[in-house]
Amino acid sequence: MAQARFGSRWAMMLAMLGMAVGTGNIWRFPRIAAKNGGGEFLVAWIAFLFLWSIPLILLEFGMGRKTRSGPVRAFVSMAGPGWAWTGAMVVCVCTGILCYYSVVAGWTARYAVAAFGGELAAAVPGAFWTDFTSSAWPAACHAVMLTLAVVVVAKGVTAIERVAKVLMPALIALVFVLVVRAATLPGAGEGLAYLFGIDWGQLTRAQIWIEALTQNAWDTGAGWGLVLCYAAYQRDREDTALNSFVLPAANNTISLLAGIMVICTVFSAVPALLERAATDPSQLRGLGSLEQAVREGQQFSARLMQDTVFSEDNAGITFIWMPELFRSLPHGRLFMALFFAALAFAAFTSLIAMVEVAVRALGDAGFDRRKAVVGVGAAGFLVGLPSALSLGVLDNQDWVWSVALILSGLFFALAVGRYGVRRFREETLNHEHSDVRIGSWWDFVIRAVVPFEAVVLTTWLLYQASRDDPAGWFVPFGADHVFSVGTVLVQVGVVALVLLLLNRKLAASVRVGGFPT
């Protein structure tokens, strides 16, 4: 039986955009861009679009088209049986993210329901978040979102395509409505000036470049194995190179729109919030960093935004700050509901792709698709349950697998290097159906630039962790050492060691032949 294909380029690109656009675009990008100065961050972010995201997406598109398989079989086909463990590592990293990402997806769904039902509008700042995270709701929402994703994946690529055709246009429409609303608010001009204004001198700061590379790894899906698995379903006559440019360009456009939406909302709402707090200090209760700044006599400024709103973690700005800011705006309840609906759609479509990666890997090893789907769903729920019950565990898992994600991108580059970069480019990117021709610049980026970026970024992240926790930097577990170096080395190291020991069996298993989808 022939393997299924996406019905059209439009359907494939919507599915891939759904895979790429997630919470990293809508909640992480605005905070990271604002925290790192706005315009100067955008310069570095665009640079790494061409030095990390597009080269790796080209690689995954080409590898998917050539091998028509998931990461393990693809790595064996490209680099030989000794590389099976690296393909399996890509799957494990993506699955590790899946387990806690499903929890986050559950948060977004619960908040969307609460926003439409009016619960958020009536809550004291931060109270809904505190009550929600201290209850059983996160575990229940985790189960619901993962179950829905499993149901879609169980029905194969046709169901993935159908969901994308509904949710992605809806998501894009919601983002455009929210952007138009935010850009027309009083004070939005200051927010736009902050986001797009460039202080060229700040580009000498290494931290901006590190954050820009990290964001590219997160919000485009490059190096995850997601593009590879979806590309396995592309039609033979697709222009691989063109698709590889369109996908990250569209993805990063949505990130930029999300940045406009959030930053303009902040710059419009915070002055009004401060004005009301001048006569009623309780208006800031629950918004600790801003409350403290006001007590110290600080006035509204871009620096105040950086030090308070944008200094919060991703969950803080999204689930505590954004509801409060929307509440302070005209018709804020409606736009709050639309915001969380968009966030839930984005999270769900990305979750589907993560489930597909794990299921596809099991299928390549000869497992029945339905049994593989059930197994991935059950394992994802159980492994993700601690993250649903503890924010500390979720933060730890986010830290561990975020670092490992950079190594995943490195493995892709090394595997193609083993096959022959130029040979790969000519066979899989510049094929007879590609109108866009990829030059030798790509060879250099894959051979040298991507490995260099991966090594530098991983080293820098671990260095920062050791610097921030000098006494317990090597402690692998503990509430006080959530972001330690030791926890990364132990968790990632154990997984890598097990896969190395199983390498021969992994390589043999993917020669059996997988299921048709």
Side-chain angles (χ1 to χ4, degrees):
M1 181 177 176
Q3 179 172 269
R5 298 282 193 273
F6 284 113
S8 65
R9 172 180 286 182
W10 168 248
M12 181 185 72
M13 295 310 293
L14 280 178
M16 287 198 164
L17 191 59
M19 167 271 296
V21 174
T23 57
N25 303 72
I26 297 177
W27 79 1
R28 191 179 193 278
F29 173 82
R31 181 182 74 87
I32 297 299
K35 185 178 179 181
N36 289 277
E40 49 266 34
F41 172 83
L42 296 183
V43 172
W45 178 66
I46 292 171
F48 284 121
L49 175 64
F50 292 93
L51 294 174
W52 177 272
S53 297
I54 289 176
L56 282 175
I57 288 173
L58 279 162
L59 188 160
E60 289 196 54
F61 252 110
M63 190 181 286
R65 182 181 188 275
K66 182 176 180 63
T67 66
R68 301 291 181 183
S69 64
V72 183
R73 178 181 286 172
F75 274 60
V76 170
S77 299
M78 300 300 299
W83 287 69
W85 76 274
T86 58
M89 192 68 193
V90 170
V91 176
C92 287
V93 171
C94 186
T95 305
I97 295 172
L98 176 159
C99 294
Y100 71 85
Y101 191 89
S102 177
V103 175
V104 175
W107 296 350
T108 66
R110 177 68 183 100
Y111 262 67
V113 171
F116 277 104
E119 293 175 83
L120 288 182
V124 175
F128 187 89
W129 173 248
T130 300
D131 293 342
F132 172 66
T133 54
S134 59
S135 70
W137 270 110
C141 294
H142 163 52
V144 169
M145 292 298 274
L146 190 54
T147 299
L148 291 174
V150 160
V151 169
V152 173
V153 173
K155 296 180 181 297
V157 67
T158 302
I160 294 172
E161 180 179 312
R162 287 174 179 169
V163 169
K165 284 182 177 180
V166 174
L167 292 188
M168 286 314 297
L171 169 61
I172 293 168
L174 289 174
V175 169
F176 271 105
V177 169
L178 290 166
V179 168
V180 170
R181 173 57 180 166
T184 55
L185 289 170
E190 295 178 12
L192 291 172
Y194 179 74
L195 177 60
F196 292 104
I198 302 173
D199 181 350
W200 295 101
Q202 291 295 312
L203 288 172
T204 58
R205 291 177 51 213
Q207 187 64 33
I208 289 177
W209 295 89
I210 293 295
E211 294 282 13
L213 176 53
T214 304
Q215 181 61 30
N216 263 282
W218 256 102
D219 73 4
T220 61
W224 294 52
L226 304 171
V227 175
L228 167 68
C229 286
Y230 275 15
Y233 302 124
Q234 67 182 301
R235 297 176 304 169
D236 292 331
R237 299 178 63 86
E238 290 289 348
D239 189 331
T240 308
L242 177 61
N243 293 339
S244 300
F245 281 93
V246 170
L247 174 63
N251 171 81
N252 281 24
T253 297
I254 292 179
S255 290
L256 196 58
L257 291 174
I260 294 171
M261 172 180 66
V262 171
I263 292 173
C264 286
T265 299
V266 170
F267 272 77
S268 177
V270 170
L273 188 61
L274 293 176
E275 186 176 339
R276 292 201 307 272
T279 56
D280 182 8
S282 66
Q283 293 285 330
L284 297 178
R285 191 170 300 146
L287 304 176
S289 55
L290 185 59
E291 183 179 8
Q292 181 62 32
V294 171
R295 285 177 179 173
E296 294 172 356
Q298 294 186 37
Q299 302 298 311
F300 175 78
S301 65
R303 172 53 62 183
L304 178 66
M305 297 299 94
Q306 278 188 313
D307 293 342
T308 57
V309 180
F310 298 120
S311 67
E312 299 284 345
D313 60 18
N314 292 324
I317 191 172
T318 304
F319 297 107
I320 297 176
W321 277 96
M322 292 308 294
E324 183 59 21
L325 296 179
F326 277 118
R327 280 171 30 152
S328 68
L329 300 174
H331 311 294
R333 175 176 167 179
L334 170 63
F335 290 103
M336 183 197 309
L338 296 180
F339 172 79
F340 282 109
L343 196 58
F345 289 171
F348 182 61
T349 53
S350 294
L351 182 62
I352 289 171
M354 294 179 201
V355 173
E356 172 64 25
V357 170
V359 170
R360 180 79 208 204
L362 291 174
D364 288 344
F367 285 83
D368 174 76
R369 185 175 183 89
R370 293 192 179 276
K371 291 181 180 179
V373 168
V374 172
V376 170
F381 173 75
L382 292 175
V383 176
L385 192 57
S387 294
L389 300 176
S390 168
L391 291 176
V393 173
L394 188 143
D395 286 340
N396 173 264
Q397 291 301 287
D398 185 38
W399 159 242
V400 169
W401 300 113
S402 292
V403 175
L405 179 60
I406 307 305
L407 298 179
S408 181
L410 173 63
F411 287 154
F412 272 104
L414 295 178
V416 168
R418 170 88 173 174
Y419 181 80
V421 177
R422 181 176 179 180
R423 175 187 171 195
F424 179 89
R425 172 168 57 89
E426 292 300 330
E427 290 179 356
T428 66
L429 303 181
N430 295 336
H431 55 78
E432 67 274 19
H433 302 299
S434 285
D435 295 325
V436 176
R437 313 298 289 180
I438 305 300
S440 58
W441 64 269
W442 184 81
D443 303 1
F444 174 73
V445 172
I446 292 298
R447 282 197 190 105
V449 178
V450 168
F452 175 77
E453 290 169 332
V455 171
V456 169
L457 181 55
T458 303
T459 302
W460 181 269
L461 290 173
L462 295 179
Y463 162 73
Q464 282 187 315
S466 64
R467 182 193 62 190
D468 295 342
D469 186 15
W473 70 274
F474 199 69
V475 177
F477 302 105
D480 296 328
H481 307 288
V482 169
F483 304 106
S484 72
V485 176
T487 194
V488 174
L489 297 180
V490 169
Q491 294 186 60
V492 177
V494 166
V495 172
L497 179 60
V498 169
L499 296 178
L500 269 169
L501 294 175
L502 294 175
N503 184 78
R504 184 173 295 179
K505 291 184 178 181
L506 288 168
S509 70
V510 295
R511 296 193 185 112
V512 174
F515 47 71
T517 53

